Amino acid sequence: MFAESLVLVLMCWVVTSAEDLYMSRALKLMSEIPLIDGHNDLPWQLRKLFNNQLNQVDLNTLETTHTNIPKIKKGRLGAQFWSAYVPCDTQYKDAVRQTLEQIDVIHRMCHKYPNQFMFAASSQDIMDAFKLNKTASLIGVEGGHSIDSSLGTLRTMYQLGVRYLTLTHSCNTPWADNWRVDTGVEPSQHNGLSPFGKQVIAEMNRLGMLIDLAHVTVRVMNQVLDMSKAPVIFSHSSAFSICPHKRNVPDDVLRRVNESGGIVMVNFYNDYVTCSQTATMSNVADHFDHIRKVGGAGIIGFGGDYDGVTRLPEGLEDVSKVPNLVAELLRRGWSDDEVKAALGNNLLRVLKRAEEVRDILSSNKPDDVPIPNSEVKNPCRTSYDDDDGDDGGNGGIVHSLSVMSFLLSVALHTIVPLITS
Ligand SMILES: [Zn+2]
């Protein structure tokens, strides 16, 4: 009896030691390469919970969010694309203002906590922040509705530090179809990207802004992969073969991401991990394994979607838990180099390449050809581009076509998912 107990104790000790070894190896790798996460909606929580009144918030003690400073430290978060997200129902209304306010709150957050966050707008900035033991803080705008079909707005957002644009959220824009079209609940408006949508892609290449294909239709994914001069990102999407949700990435696209040197940053939202309301960390690791199998370890990253979703896997409940997943990958036989690629090297490669493409295209002029008025679909938009010599001529003119499209789109958007995922 005593011998059996001893064996049991010894077995437990061996297992625990092995677990400790994986975790200490994970933490060592995370000290060498920054964990770069593609998508976090803390700024949206700041709007929802505090109306962006950052003075009323202490990120050291805030407990109601997946993300706060102690959790960030524990989770070894090296760099974060903070999401400047505003819902689709701001489209054709005040989407641009609200997006600017989200960009502002991210800048203010960095300013308020200079020991924790360092604003970052380049691959070099990410490494500089990492060396200072701070979380590099980048901005991604989630949804093409945020630029109101305006290349001038896109360029201005780049100047404000925005380094990726998700082409759509969960609604079509006047120039790109969103993933819900692939589910059949929403009709295609452009069969992918419109000609103006292709102008947006070319301008993003010229600027050095990453093109984020999370949330678009498979047709848009392929069109962008056909034409983009820089590698693309999926800032928070998982593998369709593991969970056949239309927000996830199909295998043929994973292969194309590999060919073009891009990245798929895995989303932890239960509904995209298991296609059900429950999931475990091991289920998330299955997505990592699958993407590695189909596209190689060179296309994988982390895109937790913390504070943008309501259900997260057991073992990955908040940003402090991510080292558990890194240890799990090691337990599954991932090499140190593969883990480092997923942690940060892949995203750094993609961002560096986008910066190189920007430099190569630096002699190209900014595109100043606007979207045709007939395609704008925004009845609130004024226009002064008539050539009849009367400055006030077209101001406030509402195109009847736009009104009809607008009413149609309102009718089609009676139910838009409330989550930001
Ligand atoms: Zn999302």
Side-chain angles (χ1 to χ4, degrees):
M1 195 63 193
F2 174 74
E4 280 171 18
S5 300
L6 189 65
V7 167
L8 198 64
V9 167
L10 273 173
M11 277 171 62
C12 289
W13 180 78
V14 169
V15 169
T16 309
S17 305
E19 292 302 297
D20 287 349
L21 275 178
Y22 289 125
M23 182 51 87
S24 50
R25 209 170 124 206
L27 295 179
K28 179 172 180 292
L29 294 175
M30 296 177 89
S31 72
E32 293 167 8
I33 294 293
L35 162 65
I36 305 175
D37 184 275
H39 195 88
N40 182 303
D41 273 301
L42 179 64
W44 173 244
Q45 294 299 326
L46 294 175
R47 177 182 287 274
K48 264 204 333 187
L49 300 172
F50 305 101
N51 199 21
N52 281 352
Q53 294 173 89
L54 202 55
N55 295 336
Q56 296 181 5
V57 187
D58 185 351
L59 287 182
N60 290 296
T61 54
L62 181 64
E63 278 300 334
T64 52
T65 49
H66 302 142
T67 314
N68 66 19
I69 288 175
K71 289 172 185 171
I72 285 171
K73 284 185 194 298
K74 196 170 174 211
R76 312 293 208 273
L77 182 61
Q80 181 67 61
F81 281 91
W82 300 107
S83 176
Y85 158 79
V86 300
C88 274
D89 57 10
T90 63
Q91 179 157 233
Y92 312 126
K93 296 176 194 147
D94 51 359
V96 173
R97 173 183 62 83
Q98 292 218 32
T99 304
L100 291 175
E101 288 172 351
Q102 295 313 99
I103 292 170
D104 169 67
V105 82
I106 294 166
H107 280 286
R108 283 192 286 130
M109 186 176 83
C110 295
H111 201 254
K112 181 172 176 181
Y113 302 99
N115 294 327
Q116 182 60 46
F117 302 119
M118 188 174 126
F119 190 77
S122 67
S123 51
Q124 184 61 50
D125 288 351
I126 293 176
M127 290 314 293
D128 289 348
F130 187 60
K131 282 178 195 137
L132 293 169
N133 207 20
K134 296 180 185 185
T135 302
S137 295
L138 301 101
I139 303 178
V141 166
E142 188 182 22
H145 58 287
S146 284
I147 65 165
D148 193 15
S149 303
S150 157
L151 296 172
T153 303
L154 176 76
R155 284 188 286 270
T156 304
M157 287 183 177
Y158 180 86
Q159 294 292 337
L160 295 174
V162 173
R163 288 299 175 267
Y164 77 62
L165 173 71
T166 317
L167 298 182
T168 67
H169 189 250
S170 299
C171 53
N172 292 338
T173 67
W175 46 271
D177 289 339
N178 84 97
W179 66 275
R180 284 158 44 92
V181 168
D182 284 345
T183 69
V185 300
E186 205 172 325
S188 167
Q189 287 176 16
H190 316 288
N191 191 23
L193 285 173
S194 74
F196 180 78
K198 293 179 180 172
Q199 285 177 248
V200 172
I201 300 305
E203 192 64 359
M204 290 175 74
N205 281 167
R206 193 190 65 81
L207 288 167
M209 192 188 284
L210 296 171
I211 299 160
D212 180 16
L213 299 179
H215 282 277
V216 297
T217 60
V218 172
R219 169 98 178 123
V220 174
M221 295 175 195
N222 280 299
Q223 283 177 305
V224 174
L225 284 160
D226 286 341
M227 72 170 288
S228 178
K229 293 184 163 67
V232 300
I233 69 165
F234 287 82
S235 68
H236 58 306
S237 296
S238 303
F240 185 85
S241 282
I242 300 290
C243 159
H245 192 291
K246 298 292 185 185
R247 270 284 283 101
N248 288 339
V249 188
D251 285 355
D252 55 336
V253 175
L254 291 177
R255 288 185 203 100
R256 293 200 66 187
V257 171
N258 167 285
E259 287 157 17
S260 55
I263 187 169
V264 177
M265 306 175 93
V266 175
N267 192 317
F268 302 169
Y269 182 39
N270 288 357
D271 300 45
Y272 302 161
V273 170
T274 57
C275 289
S276 75
Q277 297 197 356
T278 57
T280 63
M281 180 188 62
S282 177
N283 296 135
V284 177
D286 291 344
H287 284 263
F288 276 77
D289 277 343
H290 180 80
I291 295 171
R292 181 177 68 153
K293 190 177 82 188
V294 176
I299 71 160
I300 309 176
F302 294 72
D305 213 352
Y306 284 111
D307 282 310
V309 297
T310 46
R311 291 182 284 274
L312 284 156
E314 248 184 86
L316 284 172
E317 292 86 352
D318 60 56
V319 297
S320 73
K321 304 293 181 71
V322 179
N324 295 341
L325 177 57
V326 180
E328 172 68 14
L329 297 179
L330 292 168
R331 191 178 298 115
R332 288 178 178 216
W334 284 50
S335 71
D336 286 3
D337 282 347
E338 288 173 330
V339 167
K340 285 202 236 182
L343 282 172
N345 281 341
N346 290 338
L347 191 282
L348 286 166
R349 180 198 68 232
V350 171
L351 186 51
K352 271 185 202 152
R353 181 62 195 149
E355 292 162 356
E356 285 165 12
V357 169
R358 172 199 65 198
D359 295 343
I360 291 166
L361 300 176
S362 62
S363 59
N364 289 12
K365 292 193 177 80
D367 183 350
D368 57 7
V369 178
I371 189 170
N373 277 332
S374 59
E375 294 176 15
V376 169
K377 301 194 178 83
N378 181 354
C380 298
R381 184 188 268 224
T382 52
S383 148
Y384 302 96
D385 61 351
D386 62 323
D387 52 10
D388 63 6
D390 175 0
D391 283 347
N394 263 354
I397 282 190
V398 174
H399 300 272
S400 57
L401 188 63
S402 297
V403 174
M404 282 171 59
S405 316
F406 176 72
L407 292 174
L408 182 66
S409 106
V410 168
L412 289 169
H413 285 83
T414 46
I415 302 171
V416 170
L418 288 175
I419 53 159
T420 71
S421 56

